[in-house]
Amino acid sequence: MGMTKQVRKTLQLASKQQSHSFYAYDLDGLDQHLADLASAPAKLWYAVKANPLSAIIQALDARGFGFDVASVGELKQVLAQGVDPARILNTGPVKTPDHLAEFVELGVRIFVLESHQQADDLARIARARQIRPQVLLRVQLPWTKDPEEKINVLGGSSPTPFGLTPEQWMPDAFTLPNEFELLGVHCFQWGNILCAETLLQTWQAAMPKLASLLDAWQISAPVVDLGGGLGIPYAEQQQELDWQRVCQGLAQLKSQYQLGECWMELGRYAVGPYGYYASKIADIKDNQGVRFAVIEGGSQHLLRPALTEQAFPVEALQSSDSPLTSYQIHGALCTGLDCLGCLPLPDNLQQGEWLIFSQAGAYGFTESMPYFLCHTLPAELTFSKSGIEVLRPSSPASHYLA
Ligand SMILES: Cc1ncc(COP(=O)(O)O)c(C=O)c1O
């Protein structure tokens, strides 16, 4: 979960070239992991929202992933890497008529419909352009409790704007426009599930309702898109997800329900472990019995701990034999919410030393709120056998303030 010796050496080198916080991504590690995922009995899409960095998209492209994009910005970033629009699908609760028209114009033909309005708008565009989009119906199921009883950024058991109930998609409630080819259904409500059995149970619990909907539409060899939700460990005591068990569960689902294909849109599980966020200590102090490490960066670069109350694993970049003590890690924002966790670090940490947060390859830089308090934006760089490459240097507030 933390840094290997080799990664530590590389980040030490990178830190000497950077004066501000930065993200660094391990492209060789990522490529090896993506090669291992090819064994899945499912068609794999990459959920670009997890990390839209060009080099990450290129790595997924090279390993044959399709791309799940949710905005025009993500779409253009994927296309700019040379990806064929036939390998792109569009999910997301907001698809305005302009958005849909631009997607169609740029060659996208696979859409996950999240409302009747989206269906009407896409049908109008398809008619005018004489195209035949392939669609999946996004289904939201009622659940009585969260499978892992934690804060769930996807909404989990609460009603959300993602999709509609199965009843609302039934042929008596929804008229499928003639322009569409209906491929199947999409259902995804839970994020970051680490236990394979829990994940399979949520899929198994969803399937009877999805199967009734598929039967009602009489789709032969239907597609079921299960979205993402495969977790990665963030805390020391957590175990890695059992990937082989996930693959067995998918294979069983396919044969049990005679599915043509299972699809997954992986974000966190595809890229999360291959990113690091590095930030320098600005201050160490004790206050009311609590030892604080205040870092130059913080939630403006890495917001997720403030959203989920779950810390990223952290280590000091310089290895040290000093005993560990608990630090409350705070960032540079003037709010108590800017807390990156209470974690053990060497007790002799000093101002100017770097902390490295691992598992930061997904939901890092672009999930954050970089403009608050006008701090410097973090650099983003990659490393591989060919060396370290800075894709975007850190930039001061004068670059984005009007
Ligand atoms: C529609 C959709 N698909 C896939 C994902 C990726 O999820 P994960 O990072 O859990 O794999 C998300 C994340 O929010 C999503 O909204």
Side-chain angles (χ1 to χ4, degrees):
M1 181 161 61
M3 288 177 281
T4 61
K5 264 193 184 150
Q6 187 55 43
V7 167
R8 187 185 288 273
K9 259 175 76 180
T10 306
L11 293 179
Q12 284 170 347
L13 194 62
S15 70
K16 295 202 168 74
Q17 300 158 1
Q18 300 295 321
S19 40
H20 293 286
S21 306
F22 63 92
Y23 274 93
Y25 306 101
D26 171 6
L27 294 184
D28 292 336
L30 173 63
D31 185 58
Q32 182 55 55
H33 173 61
L34 297 178
D36 295 344
L37 297 187
S39 62
K43 179 172 171 46
L44 298 183
W45 304 81
Y46 172 53
V48 176
K49 58 179 73 67
N51 190 334
L53 188 80
S54 52
I56 300 271
I57 292 171
Q58 288 160 17
L60 282 130
D61 183 30
R63 286 289 172 190
F65 276 64
F67 293 87
D68 156 28
V69 307
S71 69
V72 172
E74 286 186 359
L75 173 60
K76 289 191 172 167
Q77 173 73 341
V78 172
L79 293 174
Q81 312 316 315
V83 172
D84 180 347
R87 288 176 45 221
I88 295 176
L89 70 77
N90 181 205
T91 61
V94 172
K95 301 186 189 77
T96 62
D98 284 350
H99 164 120
L100 289 166
E102 192 151 5
F103 268 62
V104 166
E105 174 72 28
L106 292 172
V108 177
R109 294 292 179 269
I110 311 175
F111 293 86
V112 174
L113 299 177
E114 313 230 3
S115 69
H116 294 173
Q117 179 72 54
Q118 286 185 4
D120 290 347
D121 292 338
L122 182 62
R124 211 174 326 105
I125 294 164
R127 220 164 3 244
R129 298 282 307 250
Q130 302 206 313
I131 58 154
R132 189 162 170 74
Q134 297 181 308
V135 300
L136 288 93
L137 309 176
R138 185 158 185 181
V139 175
Q140 188 176 139
L141 298 174
W143 294 83
T144 47
K145 72 180 196 44
D146 292 7
E148 288 193 342
E149 305 282 9
K150 59 181 184 196
I151 296 174
N152 201 307
V153 290
L154 281 157
S157 51
S158 321
T160 66
F162 310 125
L164 294 171
T165 61
E167 294 73 26
Q168 288 166 289
W169 285 127
M170 279 293 189
D172 59 358
F174 169 62
T175 306
L176 186 76
N178 291 332
E179 290 78 12
F180 294 170
E181 179 190 350
L182 180 57
L183 297 183
V185 294
H186 180 291
C187 186
F188 171 41
Q189 287 166 249
W190 307 104
N192 196 22
I193 294 183
L194 255 185
C195 168
E197 295 310 324
T198 307
L199 192 65
L200 302 189
Q201 279 161 19
T202 65
W203 292 344
Q204 281 290 350
M207 269 319 291
K209 285 205 164 163
L210 301 182
S212 309
L213 184 57
L214 293 168
D215 283 350
W217 283 105
Q218 299 182 319
I219 312 171
S220 66
V223 171
V224 171
D225 184 339
L226 297 161
L230 280 65
I232 58 173
Y234 287 95
E236 208 51 68
Q237 67 281 9
Q238 289 178 322
Q239 302 278 321
E240 303 243 336
L241 180 69
D242 180 348
W243 171 248
Q244 292 312 326
R245 183 74 190 103
V246 171
C247 290
Q248 280 170 7
L250 284 168
Q252 189 191 335
L253 221 59
K254 261 179 88 174
S255 73
Q256 189 180 343
Y257 288 96
Q258 299 180 346
L259 304 179
E261 286 180 3
C262 274
W263 290 2
M264 283 197 297
E265 301 154 356
L266 300 184
R268 187 189 320 276
Y269 192 71
V271 300
Y274 303 96
Y276 301 85
Y277 170 61
S279 192
K280 263 195 276 194
I281 295 175
D283 215 340
I284 300 284
K285 58 185 176 185
D286 293 304
N287 198 347
Q288 298 183 60
V290 177
R291 167 78 54 99
F292 285 91
V294 186
I295 60 171
E296 176 214 53
S299 301
Q300 74 274 27
H301 300 163
L302 187 66
L303 182 63
R304 193 173 175 277
L307 295 176
T308 61
E309 294 171 13
Q310 186 171 43
F312 282 78
V314 69
E315 290 166 87
L317 182 54
Q318 290 310 322
S319 23
S320 155
D321 294 332
S322 289
L324 299 179
T325 190
S326 176
Y327 286 82
Q328 195 160 320
I329 304 173
H330 270 266
L333 303 184
C334 302
T335 159
L337 297 176
D338 189 6
C339 176
L340 288 97
C342 294
L343 294 154
L345 286 164
D347 69 357
N348 61 350
L349 280 183
Q350 307 266 327
Q351 182 191 49
E353 282 189 52
W354 288 88
L355 295 186
I356 305 294
F357 297 82
S358 48
Q359 305 292 67
Y363 306 116
F365 174 59
T366 59
E367 198 191 61
S368 301
M369 44 185 209
Y371 306 129
F372 192 37
L373 263 80
C374 306
H375 287 294
T376 299
L377 290 190
E380 283 193 290
L381 47 98
T382 57
F383 60 92
S384 66
K385 281 185 286 302
S386 350
I388 297 172
E389 193 178 348
V390 178
L391 301 196
R392 192 195 56 250
S394 63
S395 51
S398 55
H399 284 210
Y400 56 82
L401 288 177

mmCIF file of all heavy atoms in Angstrom, residues 45-50 68 70 89 91-93 112 114 138 153-154 162 186 188 190-193 225-231 264-270 362-363, ligand 1:
data_model
loop_
_atom_site.group_PDB
_atom_site.id
_atom_site.type_symbol
_atom_site.label_atom_id
_atom_site.label_comp_id
_atom_site.label_asym_id
_atom_site.label_seq_id
_atom_site.Cartn_x
_atom_site.Cartn_y
_atom_site.Cartn_z
ATOM 1 N N TRP A 45 -14.307 -0.659 -18.920
ATOM 2 C CA TRP A 45 -14.259 0.761 -19.286
ATOM 3 C C TRP A 45 -13.540 1.469 -18.163
ATOM 4 O O TRP A 45 -13.651 1.059 -17.001
ATOM 5 C CB TRP A 45 -15.684 1.330 -19.402
ATOM 6 C CG TRP A 45 -16.564 0.592 -20.352
ATOM 7 C CD1 TRP A 45 -17.236 -0.566 -20.097
ATOM 8 C CD2 TRP A 45 -16.877 0.940 -21.710
ATOM 9 N NE1 TRP A 45 -17.954 -0.960 -21.203
ATOM 10 C CE2 TRP A 45 -17.753 -0.040 -22.205
ATOM 11 C CE3 TRP A 45 -16.525 2.006 -22.543
ATOM 12 C CZ2 TRP A 45 -18.269 -0.014 -23.495
ATOM 13 C CZ3 TRP A 45 -17.034 2.045 -23.828
ATOM 14 C CH2 TRP A 45 -17.890 1.043 -24.301
ATOM 15 N N TYR A 46 -12.861 2.536 -18.487
ATOM 16 C CA TYR A 46 -12.207 3.341 -17.452
ATOM 17 C C TYR A 46 -13.088 4.548 -17.149
ATOM 18 O O TYR A 46 -13.441 5.307 -18.070
ATOM 19 C CB TYR A 46 -10.824 3.792 -17.933
ATOM 20 C CG TYR A 46 -10.159 4.781 -16.993
ATOM 21 C CD1 TYR A 46 -10.017 4.484 -15.637
ATOM 22 C CD2 TYR A 46 -9.681 6.010 -17.458
ATOM 23 C CE1 TYR A 46 -9.427 5.385 -14.760
ATOM 24 C CE2 TYR A 46 -9.085 6.914 -16.590
ATOM 25 C CZ TYR A 46 -8.963 6.592 -15.240
ATOM 26 O OH TYR A 46 -8.374 7.494 -14.380
ATOM 27 N N ALA A 47 -13.437 4.744 -15.874
ATOM 28 C CA ALA A 47 -14.235 5.912 -15.468
ATOM 29 C C ALA A 47 -13.275 7.103 -15.351
ATOM 30 O O ALA A 47 -12.536 7.241 -14.378
ATOM 31 C CB ALA A 47 -14.925 5.634 -14.134
ATOM 32 N N VAL A 48 -13.315 7.957 -16.359
ATOM 33 C CA VAL A 48 -12.309 9.016 -16.497
ATOM 34 C C VAL A 48 -12.328 9.982 -15.312
ATOM 35 O O VAL A 48 -11.314 10.597 -14.977
ATOM 36 C CB VAL A 48 -12.507 9.756 -17.848
ATOM 37 C CG1 VAL A 48 -11.562 10.932 -17.997
ATOM 38 C CG2 VAL A 48 -12.307 8.778 -18.999
ATOM 39 N N LYS A 49 -13.482 10.107 -14.638
ATOM 40 C CA LYS A 49 -13.563 11.016 -13.492
ATOM 41 C C LYS A 49 -12.535 10.669 -12.417
ATOM 42 O O LYS A 49 -12.150 11.527 -11.633
ATOM 43 C CB LYS A 49 -14.971 11.011 -12.900
ATOM 44 C CG LYS A 49 -15.432 9.647 -12.443
ATOM 45 C CD LYS A 49 -16.815 9.672 -11.831
ATOM 46 C CE LYS A 49 -17.931 9.853 -12.824
ATOM 47 N NZ LYS A 49 -18.107 8.699 -13.758
ATOM 48 N N ALA A 50 -12.097 9.407 -12.371
ATOM 49 C CA ALA A 50 -11.135 9.015 -11.331
ATOM 50 C C ALA A 50 -9.815 9.755 -11.513
ATOM 51 O O ALA A 50 -9.163 10.136 -10.533
ATOM 52 C CB ALA A 50 -10.902 7.503 -11.363
ATOM 53 N N ASP A 68 -15.418 5.614 -20.009
ATOM 54 C CA ASP A 68 -16.696 6.117 -19.509
ATOM 55 C C ASP A 68 -16.482 7.591 -19.194
ATOM 56 O O ASP A 68 -15.721 7.930 -18.288
ATOM 57 C CB ASP A 68 -17.069 5.312 -18.252
ATOM 58 C CG ASP A 68 -18.008 6.055 -17.314
ATOM 59 O OD1 ASP A 68 -18.782 6.896 -17.798
ATOM 60 O OD2 ASP A 68 -17.967 5.771 -16.096
ATOM 61 N N ALA A 70 -18.155 11.594 -18.546
ATOM 62 C CA ALA A 70 -19.353 12.190 -17.961
ATOM 63 C C ALA A 70 -19.522 13.660 -18.319
ATOM 64 O O ALA A 70 -20.500 14.276 -17.903
ATOM 65 C CB ALA A 70 -19.315 12.021 -16.441
ATOM 66 N N LEU A 89 -18.224 5.658 -23.868
ATOM 67 C CA LEU A 89 -19.645 5.703 -23.505
ATOM 68 C C LEU A 89 -19.873 6.872 -22.563
ATOM 69 O O LEU A 89 -18.949 7.348 -21.907
ATOM 70 C CB LEU A 89 -20.138 4.383 -22.913
ATOM 71 C CG LEU A 89 -19.709 3.891 -21.544
ATOM 72 C CD1 LEU A 89 -20.427 4.622 -20.433
ATOM 73 C CD2 LEU A 89 -20.028 2.401 -21.423
ATOM 74 N N THR A 91 -21.953 8.352 -19.366
ATOM 75 C CA THR A 91 -22.830 8.216 -18.196
ATOM 76 C C THR A 91 -22.954 9.583 -17.534
ATOM 77 O O THR A 91 -22.199 10.497 -17.861
ATOM 78 C CB THR A 91 -22.230 7.260 -17.142
ATOM 79 O OG1 THR A 91 -20.981 7.802 -16.701
ATOM 80 C CG2 THR A 91 -22.000 5.874 -17.695
ATOM 81 N N GLY A 92 -23.853 9.708 -16.587
ATOM 82 C CA GLY A 92 -23.920 10.939 -15.795
ATOM 83 C C GLY A 92 -25.310 11.528 -15.767
ATOM 84 O O GLY A 92 -26.046 11.464 -16.757
ATOM 85 N N PRO A 93 -25.684 12.135 -14.621
ATOM 86 C CA PRO A 93 -27.042 12.644 -14.464
ATOM 87 C C PRO A 93 -27.315 13.888 -15.302
ATOM 88 O O PRO A 93 -28.475 14.221 -15.545
ATOM 89 C CB PRO A 93 -27.138 12.969 -12.970
ATOM 90 C CG PRO A 93 -25.731 13.191 -12.541
ATOM 91 C CD PRO A 93 -24.875 12.327 -13.408
ATOM 92 N N VAL A 112 -25.671 5.968 -21.599
ATOM 93 C CA VAL A 112 -26.430 5.419 -20.482
ATOM 94 C C VAL A 112 -27.499 6.457 -20.158
ATOM 95 O O VAL A 112 -27.189 7.580 -19.756
ATOM 96 C CB VAL A 112 -25.512 5.170 -19.260
ATOM 97 C CG1 VAL A 112 -26.331 4.743 -18.046
ATOM 98 C CG2 VAL A 112 -24.466 4.105 -19.604
ATOM 99 N N GLU A 114 -30.320 8.273 -18.116
ATOM 100 C CA GLU A 114 -30.589 8.396 -16.685
ATOM 101 C C GLU A 114 -31.974 8.985 -16.412
ATOM 102 O O GLU A 114 -32.370 9.140 -15.265
ATOM 103 C CB GLU A 114 -29.501 9.247 -16.029
ATOM 104 C CG GLU A 114 -28.095 8.805 -16.457
ATOM 105 C CD GLU A 114 -27.126 8.570 -15.320
ATOM 106 O OE1 GLU A 114 -27.523 8.684 -14.161
ATOM 107 O OE2 GLU A 114 -25.966 8.241 -15.628
ATOM 108 N N ARG A 138 -30.331 3.343 -17.030
ATOM 109 C CA ARG A 138 -29.728 3.332 -15.690
ATOM 110 C C ARG A 138 -30.797 3.144 -14.630
ATOM 111 O O ARG A 138 -31.755 3.931 -14.529
ATOM 112 C CB ARG A 138 -28.947 4.609 -15.419
ATOM 113 C CG ARG A 138 -28.232 4.510 -14.071
ATOM 114 C CD ARG A 138 -27.088 5.429 -13.956
ATOM 115 N NE ARG A 138 -26.387 5.213 -12.698
ATOM 116 C CZ ARG A 138 -25.342 5.903 -12.310
ATOM 117 N NH1 ARG A 138 -24.856 6.848 -13.090
ATOM 118 N NH2 ARG A 138 -24.746 5.655 -11.171
ATOM 119 N N VAL A 153 -20.237 8.224 -1.327
ATOM 120 C CA VAL A 153 -20.340 9.403 -2.189
ATOM 121 C C VAL A 153 -21.294 9.182 -3.361
ATOM 122 O O VAL A 153 -21.695 10.135 -4.021
ATOM 123 C CB VAL A 153 -18.959 9.881 -2.716
ATOM 124 C CG1 VAL A 153 -18.125 10.482 -1.610
ATOM 125 C CG2 VAL A 153 -18.226 8.779 -3.415
ATOM 126 N N LEU A 154 -21.681 7.947 -3.633
ATOM 127 C CA LEU A 154 -22.620 7.687 -4.724
ATOM 128 C C LEU A 154 -24.072 7.694 -4.266
ATOM 129 O O LEU A 154 -24.974 7.460 -5.054
ATOM 130 C CB LEU A 154 -22.318 6.340 -5.364
ATOM 131 C CG LEU A 154 -21.140 6.400 -6.320
ATOM 132 C CD1 LEU A 154 -20.537 5.028 -6.495
ATOM 133 C CD2 LEU A 154 -21.565 6.974 -7.651
ATOM 134 N N PHE A 162 -29.262 9.590 -10.030
ATOM 135 C CA PHE A 162 -28.647 8.638 -10.970
ATOM 136 C C PHE A 162 -29.680 7.598 -11.418
ATOM 137 O O PHE A 162 -29.993 6.663 -10.695
ATOM 138 C CB PHE A 162 -27.456 7.931 -10.320
ATOM 139 C CG PHE A 162 -26.477 8.893 -9.679
ATOM 140 C CD1 PHE A 162 -26.115 8.761 -8.358
ATOM 141 C CD2 PHE A 162 -25.938 9.934 -10.412
ATOM 142 C CE1 PHE A 162 -25.237 9.654 -7.766
ATOM 143 C CE2 PHE A 162 -25.052 10.836 -9.833
ATOM 144 C CZ PHE A 162 -24.706 10.698 -8.506
ATOM 145 N N HIS A 186 -27.933 -0.527 -16.687
ATOM 146 C CA HIS A 186 -26.779 -0.064 -15.918
ATOM 147 C C HIS A 186 -27.250 0.080 -14.483
ATOM 148 O O HIS A 186 -28.323 0.639 -14.230
ATOM 149 C CB HIS A 186 -26.365 1.297 -16.488
ATOM 150 C CG HIS A 186 -25.195 1.955 -15.823
ATOM 151 N ND1 HIS A 186 -25.226 2.456 -14.536
ATOM 152 C CD2 HIS A 186 -23.957 2.229 -16.286
ATOM 153 C CE1 HIS A 186 -24.045 2.995 -14.246
ATOM 154 N NE2 HIS A 186 -23.263 2.881 -15.292
ATOM 155 N N PHE A 188 -25.477 0.948 -10.569
ATOM 156 C CA PHE A 188 -24.265 1.172 -9.767
ATOM 157 C C PHE A 188 -24.572 2.180 -8.673
ATOM 158 O O PHE A 188 -24.848 3.334 -8.949
ATOM 159 C CB PHE A 188 -23.150 1.694 -10.686
ATOM 160 C CG PHE A 188 -21.918 2.158 -9.958
ATOM 161 C CD1 PHE A 188 -21.411 1.450 -8.873
ATOM 162 C CD2 PHE A 188 -21.251 3.302 -10.363
ATOM 163 C CE1 PHE A 188 -20.282 1.888 -8.199
ATOM 164 C CE2 PHE A 188 -20.119 3.748 -9.702
ATOM 165 C CZ PHE A 188 -19.633 3.042 -8.613
ATOM 166 N N TRP A 190 -22.841 1.796 -5.197
ATOM 167 C CA TRP A 190 -21.948 1.689 -4.044
ATOM 168 C C TRP A 190 -20.504 1.891 -4.470
ATOM 169 O O TRP A 190 -20.053 1.270 -5.413
ATOM 170 C CB TRP A 190 -22.082 0.304 -3.400
ATOM 171 C CG TRP A 190 -23.506 -0.002 -3.101
ATOM 172 C CD1 TRP A 190 -24.325 -0.842 -3.789
ATOM 173 C CD2 TRP A 190 -24.286 0.571 -2.071
ATOM 174 N NE1 TRP A 190 -25.564 -0.827 -3.240
ATOM 175 C CE2 TRP A 190 -25.569 0.024 -2.174
ATOM 176 C CE3 TRP A 190 -24.019 1.488 -1.041
ATOM 177 C CZ2 TRP A 190 -26.593 0.369 -1.316
ATOM 178 C CZ3 TRP A 190 -25.034 1.823 -0.184
ATOM 179 C CH2 TRP A 190 -26.311 1.264 -0.328
ATOM 180 N N GLY A 191 -19.782 2.737 -3.743
ATOM 181 C CA GLY A 191 -18.382 2.976 -4.072
ATOM 182 C C GLY A 191 -17.439 2.327 -3.079
ATOM 183 O O GLY A 191 -17.793 2.065 -1.930
ATOM 184 N N ASN A 192 -16.223 2.033 -3.539
ATOM 185 C CA ASN A 192 -15.108 1.612 -2.685
ATOM 186 C C ASN A 192 -15.445 0.431 -1.777
ATOM 187 O O ASN A 192 -15.237 0.482 -0.567
ATOM 188 C CB ASN A 192 -14.630 2.812 -1.849
ATOM 189 C CG ASN A 192 -13.265 2.555 -1.243
ATOM 190 O OD1 ASN A 192 -12.511 1.709 -1.734
ATOM 191 N ND2 ASN A 192 -12.940 3.263 -0.196
ATOM 192 N N ILE A 193 -15.950 -0.649 -2.365
ATOM 193 C CA ILE A 193 -16.224 -1.864 -1.587
ATOM 194 C C ILE A 193 -14.987 -2.765 -1.648
ATOM 195 O O ILE A 193 -14.495 -3.102 -2.722
ATOM 196 C CB ILE A 193 -17.471 -2.595 -2.134
ATOM 197 C CG1 ILE A 193 -18.695 -1.703 -1.903
ATOM 198 C CG2 ILE A 193 -17.645 -3.945 -1.474
ATOM 199 C CD1 ILE A 193 -20.005 -2.306 -2.323
ATOM 200 N N ASP A 225 -24.327 -3.418 -17.157
ATOM 201 C CA ASP A 225 -23.186 -2.593 -16.760
ATOM 202 C C ASP A 225 -23.275 -2.372 -15.257
ATOM 203 O O ASP A 225 -24.226 -1.753 -14.765
ATOM 204 C CB ASP A 225 -23.256 -1.255 -17.528
ATOM 205 C CG ASP A 225 -22.057 -0.368 -17.265
ATOM 206 O OD1 ASP A 225 -21.377 -0.558 -16.239
ATOM 207 O OD2 ASP A 225 -21.814 0.543 -18.094
ATOM 208 N N LEU A 226 -22.279 -2.904 -14.536
ATOM 209 C CA LEU A 226 -22.307 -2.844 -13.071
ATOM 210 C C LEU A 226 -21.563 -1.637 -12.519
ATOM 211 O O LEU A 226 -21.383 -1.500 -11.301
ATOM 212 C CB LEU A 226 -21.702 -4.136 -12.504
ATOM 213 C CG LEU A 226 -22.488 -5.398 -12.872
ATOM 214 C CD1 LEU A 226 -21.625 -6.637 -12.704
ATOM 215 C CD2 LEU A 226 -23.751 -5.507 -12.023
ATOM 216 N N GLY A 227 -21.070 -0.772 -13.411
ATOM 217 C CA GLY A 227 -20.371 0.434 -12.955
ATOM 218 C C GLY A 227 -19.041 0.084 -12.316
ATOM 219 O O GLY A 227 -18.355 -0.856 -12.730
ATOM 220 N N GLY A 228 -18.695 0.860 -11.264
ATOM 221 C CA GLY A 228 -17.414 0.621 -10.576
ATOM 222 C C GLY A 228 -17.674 0.092 -9.182
ATOM 223 O O GLY A 228 -18.447 -0.836 -9.002
ATOM 224 N N GLY A 229 -17.006 0.703 -8.195
ATOM 225 C CA GLY A 229 -17.261 0.318 -6.812
ATOM 226 C C GLY A 229 -16.243 -0.629 -6.219
ATOM 227 O O GLY A 229 -16.330 -0.974 -5.043
ATOM 228 N N LEU A 230 -15.269 -1.085 -7.030
ATOM 229 C CA LEU A 230 -14.253 -1.987 -6.486
ATOM 230 C C LEU A 230 -13.274 -1.153 -5.655
ATOM 231 O O LEU A 230 -12.738 -0.148 -6.127
ATOM 232 C CB LEU A 230 -13.498 -2.709 -7.618
ATOM 233 C CG LEU A 230 -14.224 -3.905 -8.240
ATOM 234 C CD1 LEU A 230 -15.484 -3.487 -8.962
ATOM 235 C CD2 LEU A 230 -13.301 -4.647 -9.200
ATOM 236 N N GLY A 231 -13.061 -1.582 -4.411
ATOM 237 C CA GLY A 231 -12.320 -0.742 -3.474
ATOM 238 C C GLY A 231 -10.826 -0.991 -3.460
ATOM 239 O O GLY A 231 -10.321 -2.001 -3.962
ATOM 240 N N MET A 264 -17.932 -3.317 -16.744
ATOM 241 C CA MET A 264 -17.575 -2.584 -15.517
ATOM 242 C C MET A 264 -16.880 -1.297 -15.914
ATOM 243 O O MET A 264 -16.102 -1.267 -16.865
ATOM 244 C CB MET A 264 -16.650 -3.418 -14.628
ATOM 245 C CG MET A 264 -17.370 -4.510 -13.862
ATOM 246 S SD MET A 264 -16.383 -5.156 -12.480
ATOM 247 C CE MET A 264 -15.004 -5.839 -13.334
ATOM 248 N N GLU A 265 -17.181 -0.248 -15.165
ATOM 249 C CA GLU A 265 -16.528 1.060 -15.377
ATOM 250 C C GLU A 265 -15.637 1.290 -14.164
ATOM 251 O O GLU A 265 -16.099 1.747 -13.126
ATOM 252 C CB GLU A 265 -17.584 2.170 -15.462
ATOM 253 C CG GLU A 265 -18.596 1.980 -16.581
ATOM 254 C CD GLU A 265 -19.924 2.674 -16.260
ATOM 255 O OE1 GLU A 265 -20.087 3.233 -15.175
ATOM 256 O OE2 GLU A 265 -20.810 2.625 -17.124
ATOM 257 N N LEU A 266 -14.371 0.927 -14.297
ATOM 258 C CA LEU A 266 -13.478 1.000 -13.138
ATOM 259 C C LEU A 266 -12.779 2.344 -13.044
ATOM 260 O O LEU A 266 -12.221 2.835 -14.023
ATOM 261 C CB LEU A 266 -12.409 -0.097 -13.226
ATOM 262 C CG LEU A 266 -12.909 -1.531 -13.262
ATOM 263 C CD1 LEU A 266 -11.734 -2.495 -13.257
ATOM 264 C CD2 LEU A 266 -13.826 -1.804 -12.082
ATOM 265 N N GLY A 267 -12.812 2.917 -11.849
ATOM 266 C CA GLY A 267 -12.077 4.153 -11.601
ATOM 267 C C GLY A 267 -10.984 3.877 -10.585
ATOM 268 O O GLY A 267 -9.842 3.571 -10.903
ATOM 269 N N ARG A 268 -11.390 3.907 -9.316
ATOM 270 C CA ARG A 268 -10.439 3.752 -8.208
ATOM 271 C C ARG A 268 -9.564 2.492 -8.329
ATOM 272 O O ARG A 268 -8.356 2.537 -8.150
ATOM 273 C CB ARG A 268 -11.249 3.662 -6.906
ATOM 274 C CG ARG A 268 -10.454 3.669 -5.636
ATOM 275 C CD ARG A 268 -11.371 3.352 -4.451
ATOM 276 N NE ARG A 268 -12.658 3.988 -4.550
ATOM 277 C CZ ARG A 268 -12.910 5.233 -4.166
ATOM 278 N NH1 ARG A 268 -11.975 5.947 -3.608
ATOM 279 N NH2 ARG A 268 -14.119 5.735 -4.296
ATOM 280 N N TYR A 269 -10.231 1.352 -8.635
ATOM 281 C CA TYR A 269 -9.486 0.094 -8.639
ATOM 282 C C TYR A 269 -8.462 0.052 -9.780
ATOM 283 O O TYR A 269 -7.420 -0.585 -9.673
ATOM 284 C CB TYR A 269 -10.466 -1.088 -8.765
ATOM 285 C CG TYR A 269 -9.813 -2.421 -8.490
ATOM 286 C CD1 TYR A 269 -9.427 -2.766 -7.196
ATOM 287 C CD2 TYR A 269 -9.558 -3.323 -9.520
ATOM 288 C CE1 TYR A 269 -8.808 -3.970 -6.929
ATOM 289 C CE2 TYR A 269 -8.944 -4.540 -9.261
ATOM 290 C CZ TYR A 269 -8.574 -4.854 -7.958
ATOM 291 O OH TYR A 269 -7.953 -6.058 -7.704
ATOM 292 N N ALA A 270 -8.772 0.753 -10.875
ATOM 293 C CA ALA A 270 -7.848 0.747 -12.016
ATOM 294 C C ALA A 270 -6.602 1.579 -11.727
ATOM 295 O O ALA A 270 -5.485 1.162 -12.053
ATOM 296 C CB ALA A 270 -8.563 1.277 -13.269
ATOM 297 N N ALA A 362 -6.433 8.026 -7.747
ATOM 298 C CA ALA A 362 -7.840 8.232 -8.132
ATOM 299 C C ALA A 362 -8.469 9.240 -7.185
ATOM 300 O O ALA A 362 -8.192 9.233 -5.981
ATOM 301 C CB ALA A 362 -8.616 6.913 -8.043
ATOM 302 N N TYR A 363 -9.359 10.078 -7.716
ATOM 303 C CA TYR A 363 -10.099 11.058 -6.928
ATOM 304 C C TYR A 363 -9.137 11.937 -6.123
ATOM 305 O O TYR A 363 -9.304 12.130 -4.924
ATOM 306 C CB TYR A 363 -11.151 10.353 -6.048
ATOM 307 C CG TYR A 363 -12.041 9.456 -6.881
ATOM 308 C CD1 TYR A 363 -12.063 8.078 -6.719
ATOM 309 C CD2 TYR A 363 -12.821 10.019 -7.893
ATOM 310 C CE1 TYR A 363 -12.856 7.272 -7.532
ATOM 311 C CE2 TYR A 363 -13.615 9.218 -8.700
ATOM 312 C CZ TYR A 363 -13.619 7.852 -8.521
ATOM 313 O OH TYR A 363 -14.389 7.065 -9.332
HETATM 314 C C1 LIG B 1 -21.240 6.061 -13.544
HETATM 315 C C2 LIG B 1 -19.973 5.746 -12.833
HETATM 316 N N1 LIG B 1 -19.233 4.708 -13.270
HETATM 317 C C3 LIG B 1 -18.059 4.383 -12.673
HETATM 318 C C4 LIG B 1 -17.568 5.111 -11.606
HETATM 319 C C5 LIG B 1 -16.258 4.721 -11.021
HETATM 320 O O1 LIG B 1 -16.384 4.198 -9.754
HETATM 321 P P1 LIG B 1 -15.161 3.575 -8.973
HETATM 322 O O2 LIG B 1 -14.126 4.616 -8.852
HETATM 323 O O3 LIG B 1 -15.766 3.158 -7.697
HETATM 324 O O4 LIG B 1 -14.656 2.418 -9.773
HETATM 325 C C6 LIG B 1 -18.319 6.185 -11.100
HETATM 326 C C7 LIG B 1 -17.859 6.937 -9.942
HETATM 327 O O5 LIG B 1 -18.486 7.792 -9.376
HETATM 328 C C8 LIG B 1 -19.550 6.520 -11.735
HETATM 329 O O6 LIG B 1 -20.291 7.557 -11.307
#
